[in-house]
């Protein structure tokens, strides 16, 4: 019996290292004075009001949302055909495509960020926002491919063959049979890529420019100059938002889709 | 994908040869000759090792506990709790430690109240702060890798071993460790490479006092504008992760051959 007590104890230790700080920052964001403090000395919502009203956070939040939505959309647009081709056909260069499509997850974000910066910003081909979008799409694409590939593998080819033998051409069977069947995989790919892009730091760090910064970058810059509970309030909001997304995703898809 | 690989190749080429300056391979030697960059590199590797070790030490029994939960809804709640920190905004997650480790944070207030110290202790911007931040960040990955390895372990094998009289120690070293070695290698690789490449955690909890490879890279690139050195650091970082990945693949194939 003592053995299983040890197991439970280590699980509790692990969970408190992972989640404990979230609880503490939650309480610290109600601190009335202007220092970050735990335990708090009182209760106020003014930091939440302040942080929601600040235009630098509003602007960067909108940029982050825009980039995350577009990057997820683009990665599905590129990723679903790629995943379909690699799961259904055998062709020359298939290994290469597989390697290339997984490479962004092997290359560290800092390395990718620096490389993209040198390439795009110094050459000045695109606007900052477009460069950010390209960088984010490259980062999230492997996740989109992997997620849709997993549900394509579970869909037997015979289903498509049946559709085609009943007179559907390959394009029709792709849109009417394949796509509806991998819907769950695509939704989970979308949520996954959205969250990764929304939280992405290293690539944005290099590709952001004057006035065009994603939310995490603005938070980091703000922290260097001001040390008050407003970042605590903002963190609490973001943590709460993530909790809601994770719970919804779990209800919709089951958590196994994410791991 | 062209947008991704081309810049990468261009950067590698540039770290060796530049049209205006000729061959610049000597900058690699400079990286290892300078004390600061050498210290930072060794520190990053040591940090990677220690975080990986502690994550394994806590993560293995924690994963065993998760797997042993029979109740389905409790188990999916636990999995959700494991995934949740991975999905959280990294700046928010890392900044949370400021409320724990700051001058008026939980630990300092506790120490002051218990009269262990008269004035606040500096806990932020130390190696310990970076360590705990990285541990928080990568524990979930370790536990998740080990959980899936433990789930694939046939349930009757440990039972059979125990009925044949294996002690708890033998059961662990002879059954659990070898049969989950692949999960252990995967988890350790993820955590180690994550540690030596993570940016937000060392930036927010270590600052310029505890420079790591990634924060040094950023300093070179955007503060001192030493582009060649930044590129050299990036290549060294990349090669280190490739080396660790190759090594771990070699280890797991040896394991399979056995």
């Amino acid at each position: 019996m003592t053995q299983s007590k040890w197991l439970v104890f280590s699980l509790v230790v692990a969970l408190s290292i992972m989640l404990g700080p979230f609880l503490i920052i939650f309480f610290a964001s109600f601190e009335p004075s202007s220092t970050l403090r735990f335990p708090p000395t009182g209760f106020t919502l003014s930091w939440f009001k302040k942080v929601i009203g600040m235009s630098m956070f509003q602007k960067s939040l909108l940029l982050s949302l825009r980039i995350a939505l577009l990057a997820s959309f683009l990665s599905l647009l590129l990723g679903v055909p790629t995943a379909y081709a690699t799961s259904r056909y055998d062709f020359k260069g298939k290994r290469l495509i597989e390697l290339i499509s997984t490479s962004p997850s092997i290359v560290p974000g800092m390395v990718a960020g620096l490389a993209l910066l040198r390439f795009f910003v110094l050459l000045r081909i695109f606007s900052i926002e477009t460069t950010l979008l390209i960088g984010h799409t490259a980062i999230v694409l492997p996740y989109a491919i992997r997620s849709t590939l997993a549900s394509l593998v579970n869909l037997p080819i015979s289903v498509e063959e049946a559709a085609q033998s009943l007179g559907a051409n390959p394009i029709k069977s792709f849109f009417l049979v394949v796509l509806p069947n991998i819907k769950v995989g695509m939704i989970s790919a979308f949520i996954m890529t959205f969250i990764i892009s929304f939280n992405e730091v290293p690539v944005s760090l290099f590709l952001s420019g004057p006035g065009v910064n994603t939310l995490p970058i603005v938070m980091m810059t703000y922290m260097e100059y001001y040390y008050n509970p407003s970042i605590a309030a903002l963190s609490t909001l973001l943590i709460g938002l993530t909790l809601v997304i994770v719970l919804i995703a779990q209800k919709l898809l089951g958590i196994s889709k994410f791991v | 994908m062209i947008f991704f690989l081309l810049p990468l190749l261009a950067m590698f080429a540039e770290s060796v040869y530049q049209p205006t300056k000729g061959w610049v391979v000597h900058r690699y030697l400079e990286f290892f000759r300078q004390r600061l960059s050498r210290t930072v590199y060794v520190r990053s590797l040591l940090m990677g090792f220690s975080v990986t070790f502690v994550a394994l030490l806590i993560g293995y029994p924690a994963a065993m506990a998760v797997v042993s939960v029979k109740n389905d809804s409790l188990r999916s709640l636990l999995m959700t709790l494991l995934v949740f920190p991975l999905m959280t905004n990294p700046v928010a997650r890392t900044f949370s430690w400021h409320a724990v480790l700051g001058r008026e944070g939980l630990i300092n207030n506790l120490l002051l109240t218990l009269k262990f110290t008269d004035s606040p202790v500096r806990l932020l911007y130390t190696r310990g702060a970076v360590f705990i931040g990285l541990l928080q960040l990568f524990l979930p990955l370790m536990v998740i890798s080990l959980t899936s390895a433990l789930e694939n372990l046939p349930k009757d094998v440990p039972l059979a071993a125990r009925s044949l009289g294996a002690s708890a120690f033998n059961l662990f070293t002879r059954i659990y460790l070898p049969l989950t070695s692949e999960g252990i290698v995967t988890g350790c690789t993820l955590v180690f490479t994550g540690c030596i490449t993570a940016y937000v955690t060392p930036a927010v909890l270590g600052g310029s006092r505890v420079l790591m490879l990634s924060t040094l890279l950023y300093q070179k690139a955007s503060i001192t504008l030493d582009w060649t050195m930044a590129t050299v650091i990036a290549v060294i970082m990349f090669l280190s992760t490739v080396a660790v990945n190759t090594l771990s693949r070699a280890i797991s194939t040896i394991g399979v051959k056995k």
Side-chain angles (χ1 to χ4, degrees):
Chain A
M1 225 41 233
T2 51
Q3 208 179 326
S4 63
K5 263 183 201 152
W6 266 107
L7 300 187
V8 173
F9 174 71
S10 50
L11 182 61
V12 171
V13 170
L15 286 176
S16 33
I17 293 174
M18 281 157 42
L19 303 168
F22 293 169
L23 276 181
I24 289 165
I25 200 82
F26 173 76
F27 289 111
S29 49
F30 301 109
E31 164 69 32
S33 78
S34 62
T35 44
L36 187 70
R37 183 179 291 164
F38 185 90
T41 51
F43 179 87
T44 176
L45 287 174
S46 60
W47 296 111
F48 286 93
K49 278 185 203 135
K50 188 181 173 215
V51 102
I52 290 172
M54 280 172 77
S55 70
M56 61 189 285
F57 288 131
Q58 292 169 349
K59 233 180 91 189
S60 57
L61 173 68
L62 285 179
L63 178 76
S64 282
L65 289 175
R66 208 155 55 226
I67 297 229
L69 278 175
L70 284 173
S72 312
F73 182 71
L74 280 179
S75 71
L76 278 183
L77 213 60
L78 297 168
V80 172
T82 312
Y84 185 75
T86 44
S87 76
R88 292 296 186 262
Y89 305 109
D90 221 7
F91 51 89
K92 260 190 192 170
K94 183 174 160 174
R95 278 290 307 150
L96 187 71
I97 287 193
E98 280 172 353
L99 185 75
I100 290 173
S101 58
T102 49
S103 59
S105 52
I106 304 168
V107 179
M110 290 299 282
V111 178
L114 185 70
L116 288 168
L117 171 71
R118 308 232 53 192
F119 200 67
F120 288 118
V121 178
L122 298 184
L123 288 177
R124 297 197 188 281
I125 320 174
F126 302 113
S127 72
I128 296 175
E129 196 169 330
T130 316
T131 317
L132 271 172
L133 182 60
I134 294 173
H136 277 229
T137 310
I139 293 286
V140 299
L141 185 59
Y143 298 95
I145 294 178
R146 223 173 296 161
S147 227
T148 38
L149 200 58
S151 45
L152 274 169
V153 168
N154 288 330
L155 178 71
I157 297 183
S158 56
V159 177
E160 274 166 83
E161 286 168 351
Q164 286 176 21
S165 73
L166 291 171
N169 59 30
I171 295 171
K172 212 170 172 185
S173 80
F174 177 76
F175 281 102
L176 291 179
V177 177
V178 178
L179 276 192
N181 273 300
I182 57 168
K183 205 172 63 190
V184 175
M186 280 166 62
I187 294 174
S188 72
F190 191 86
I191 298 177
M192 190 81 190
T193 50
F194 181 87
I195 291 177
I196 292 171
S197 164
F198 188 72
N199 289 340
E200 211 285 331
V201 170
V203 169
S204 313
L205 192 69
F206 286 109
L207 299 185
S208 291
V212 188
N213 288 304
T214 60
L215 183 63
I217 306 298
V218 171
M219 287 173 76
M220 290 188 74
T221 321
Y222 184 84
M223 276 161 47
E224 278 176 38
Y225 298 101
Y226 306 97
Y227 200 76
N228 58 40
S230 55
I231 289 284
L234 185 55
S235 299
T236 302
L237 289 175
L238 287 171
I239 293 167
L241 186 74
T242 315
L243 191 62
V244 171
I245 293 178
V246 169
L247 288 177
I248 291 175
Q250 196 210 4
K251 274 272 175 296
L252 277 180
L253 311 162
I255 206 68
S256 61
K257 286 277 180 297
F258 274 121
V259 186
Chain B
M1 282 347 288
I2 294 164
F3 283 135
F4 193 79
L5 286 186
L6 217 59
L8 217 58
L9 290 175
M11 188 180 76
F12 289 155
E14 226 181 51
S15 76
V16 189
Y17 183 83
Q18 287 173 0
T20 47
K21 292 183 195 155
W23 294 97
V24 284
V25 186
H26 64 274
R27 298 303 301 267
Y28 281 93
L29 296 177
E30 200 185 311
F31 175 86
F32 288 104
R33 216 177 294 140
Q34 274 177 9
R35 235 189 78 203
L36 173 71
S37 49
R38 210 173 49 216
T39 318
V40 166
Y41 189 54
V42 172
R43 183 189 291 147
S44 297
L45 293 180
L46 285 179
M47 188 68 84
F49 278 122
S50 47
V51 172
T52 309
F53 180 70
V54 176
L56 185 62
L57 217 60
I58 303 176
Y60 203 100
M64 285 174 86
V66 173
V67 174
S68 71
V69 170
K70 295 285 181 293
N71 184 328
D72 275 346
S73 55
L74 179 62
R75 187 150 148 187
S76 87
L77 174 73
L78 285 174
M79 289 312 278
T80 311
L81 289 179
L82 286 172
V83 175
F84 169 53
L86 292 172
M87 304 268 158
T88 310
N89 182 297
V91 182
R93 175 182 53 211
T94 315
F95 184 74
S96 304
W97 285 104
H98 278 244
V100 180
L101 305 172
R103 274 182 71 84
E104 303 197 48
L106 168 71
I107 293 181
N108 264 323
N109 274 335
L110 207 65
L111 291 179
L112 288 169
T113 323
L114 297 176
K115 302 252 183 301
F116 280 128
T117 169
D118 299 327
S119 58
V121 187
R122 187 165 65 83
L123 297 166
L124 282 172
Y125 309 110
T126 60
R127 259 182 273 184
V130 178
F131 174 85
I132 195 83
L134 288 172
L135 189 62
Q136 175 202 28
L137 179 53
F138 293 116
L139 250 180
L141 283 182
M142 181 66 97
V143 178
I144 289 168
S145 313
L146 293 173
T147 311
S148 50
L150 285 165
E151 269 169 352
N152 291 332
L153 189 93
K155 297 259 176 307
D156 40 4
V157 174
L159 278 179
R162 200 173 297 165
S163 73
L164 290 172
S167 66
F169 179 77
N170 269 336
L171 188 67
F172 187 72
T173 53
R174 297 272 185 85
I175 305 289
Y176 277 101
L177 278 187
L179 286 178
T180 54
S181 64
E182 218 167 312
I184 295 175
V185 172
T186 314
C188 289
T189 314
L190 282 175
V191 174
F192 186 82
T193 53
C195 284
I196 60 172
T197 57
Y199 174 77
V200 178
T201 309
V204 173
L205 297 174
S208 52
R209 277 178 192 266
V210 189
L211 277 176
M212 299 271 282
L213 215 47
S214 52
T215 37
L216 182 69
L217 193 168
Y218 186 67
Q219 264 197 5
K220 293 284 182 209
S222 62
I223 299 168
T224 51
L225 297 175
D226 184 351
W227 288 99
T228 320
M229 195 38 106
T231 314
V232 164
I233 298 173
V235 174
I236 289 175
M237 185 193 267
F238 178 63
L239 291 180
S240 308
T241 59
V242 170
V244 174
N245 274 311
T246 317
L247 194 73
S248 76
R249 208 164 303 145
I251 293 174
S252 40
T253 45
I254 292 171
V256 169
K257 270 179 202 152
K258 257 186 195 170

